[in-house]
């Protein structure tokens, strides 16, 4: 499916994270280090999943990339520009769908392009394209309350993609869905990524989901509960091709390797 030609689409962005650290104040007046010395380079168009135990800094990393939080130390840039705050070129999808309940599916998806004051034919073209991409054309005039959770998440994804972001940030977007719906949406997201070429950073607790979706899996470890700041333990490349069989020996061998890394105890600071 070709990208929209009515306006020049944004190019996928590369991401560079260098020496990233984040500290939070405590009630006693001190600080606690959520992350330290995180380095990560993501080439434009790559799909990267981040896994790790709760508290290791996965979501903190995403929020800093989104511009919702400031880093304490280090640098973060997207497409060569430092991240100084939220920007529509960095689209974010959360586990909470965040749809406007008073707007129809079509109106939710069209909201961003309209706010960007794009011409009406462009708004219609983008809206129709992503309605089709997430399989909701027949539900365009329904309201969020009339949709299942999985369908609402489809709308949330389509609404972000309609803004044509150069970087898509996803924080456990399928975590609250049942297994069958989650599997379906994983397949849809993989297909949409191949069609749009958007750079994706995807946070998940599911190792199987990470292996199914990612070009590379970033394994994070540590966190305040372990007495050592969150950090990147290892980055694992997934060389399984576009069509992945979750039952294959190669797929499951990679799952076991990543699981071992996730469950390995971090070394506490001296």
């Amino acid at each position: 499916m070709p990208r929209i030609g009515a306006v020049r689409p944004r190019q996928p962005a590369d991401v560079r994270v260098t020496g990233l650290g984040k500290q939070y104040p405590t009630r006693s007046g001190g600080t606690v280090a959520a992350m330290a010395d995180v380095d990560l380079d993501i080439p434009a168009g790559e799909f990267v999943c981040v896994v790790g135990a709760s508290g290791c800094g996965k979501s903190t990393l995403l929020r800093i990339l989104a511009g919702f939080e400031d880093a304490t130390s280090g640098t973060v840039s997207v497409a060569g520009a430092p991240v100084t705050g939220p920007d529509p070129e960095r689209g974010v999808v959360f586990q909470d769908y965040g749809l406007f309940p008073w707007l129809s599916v079509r109106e939710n998806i069209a909201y961003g392009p309209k706010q960007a004051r794009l011409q009406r034919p462009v708004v219609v073209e983008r809206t129709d394209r992503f309605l089709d991409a997430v399989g909701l054309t027949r539900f365009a005039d329904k309201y969020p309350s009339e949709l299942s959770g999985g369908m609402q998440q489809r709308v949330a994804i389509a609404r972000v993609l309609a803004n044509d972001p150069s970087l898509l940030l996803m924080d456990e977007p399928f975590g609250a869905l049942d297994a069958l719906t989650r599997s379906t949406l994983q397949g849809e997201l993989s297909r949409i990524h191949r069609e749009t070429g958007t750079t994706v950073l995807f946070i998940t607790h599911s190792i199987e989901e990470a292996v199914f979706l990612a070009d590379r899996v970033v394994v994070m470890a540590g966190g305040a509960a372990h007495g050592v700041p969150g950090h990147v333990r290892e980055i694992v490349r997934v060389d399984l091709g576009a069509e992945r069989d979750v039952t294959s020996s190669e797929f499951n061998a990679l799952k076991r390797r990543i699981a071992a890394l996730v469950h390995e105890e971090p070394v506490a600071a001296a």
Side-chain angles (χ1 to χ4, degrees):
M1 189 182 299
R3 302 198 75 184
I4 292 170
V7 293
R8 185 178 179 180
R10 294 190 178 108
Q11 295 300 307
D14 62 318
V15 176
R16 174 157 289 186
V17 177
T18 305
L20 184 66
K22 178 66 178 180
Q23 296 183 351
Y24 292 101
T26 64
R27 296 179 66 180
S28 63
T31 60
V32 60
M35 284 192 309
D37 300 320
V38 171
D39 295 326
L40 177 63
D41 287 342
I42 304 176
E46 189 173 48
F47 197 126
V48 168
C49 284
V50 183
V51 299
S54 295
C56 68
K58 302 186 301 297
S59 292
T60 300
L61 171 62
L62 181 140
R63 290 195 297 270
I64 292 172
L65 279 169
F68 299 155
E69 293 189 24
D70 294 327
T72 306
S73 59
T75 61
V76 178
S77 64
V78 174
V83 173
T84 57
D87 190 292
E89 290 204 16
R90 286 174 264 121
V92 185
V93 179
F94 293 106
Q95 186 171 323
D96 178 8
Y97 318 124
L99 303 176
F100 299 125
W102 60 88
L103 298 181
S104 69
V105 168
R106 180 183 298 279
E107 290 166 338
N108 265 283
I109 296 172
Y111 182 82
K114 283 182 176 179
Q115 291 297 109
R117 301 185 184 279
L118 300 181
Q119 294 180 354
R120 188 175 185 280
V122 178
V123 174
V124 171
E125 186 179 12
R126 284 194 182 178
T127 303
D128 287 345
R129 178 188 176 205
F130 287 108
L131 274 168
D132 179 64
V134 298
L136 289 177
T137 300
R138 292 192 299 113
F139 300 90
D141 297 322
K142 299 291 185 181
Y143 287 83
S145 61
E146 300 176 275
L147 305 177
S148 67
M151 293 170 75
Q152 289 186 58
Q153 192 59 285
R154 288 172 185 258
V155 179
I157 293 170
R159 185 176 64 176
V160 169
L161 290 172
N163 292 322
D164 195 26
S166 60
L167 172 63
L168 181 58
L169 302 167
M170 309 186 79
D171 194 359
E172 297 194 67
F174 306 148
L177 303 176
D178 65 88
L180 181 59
T181 302
R182 184 171 186 156
S183 176
T184 300
L185 287 186
Q186 288 167 359
E188 291 297 307
L189 178 60
S190 180
R191 175 183 59 80
I192 291 169
H193 173 254
R194 292 195 298 270
E195 292 174 357
T196 62
T198 303
T199 310
V200 181
L201 180 79
F202 187 106
I203 306 297
T204 180
H205 274 101
S206 169
I207 295 170
E208 179 171 300
E209 182 168 70
V211 176
F212 182 81
L213 290 170
D215 298 310
R216 290 187 299 156
V217 177
V218 177
V219 181
M220 293 191 67
H226 295 281
V228 59
H231 57 280
V232 175
R233 167 168 282 158
E234 190 168 329
I235 300 177
V236 179
R237 179 162 295 280
V238 183
D239 292 319
L240 296 176
E243 300 295 332
R244 297 181 184 177
D245 179 3
V246 299
T247 67
S248 72
S249 58
E250 295 84 2
F251 189 100
N252 283 282
L254 204 51
K255 270 181 60 179
R256 287 192 295 272
R257 176 185 169 193
I258 294 171
L261 290 168
V262 169
H263 296 297
E264 182 181 331
E265 281 295 316
V267 178

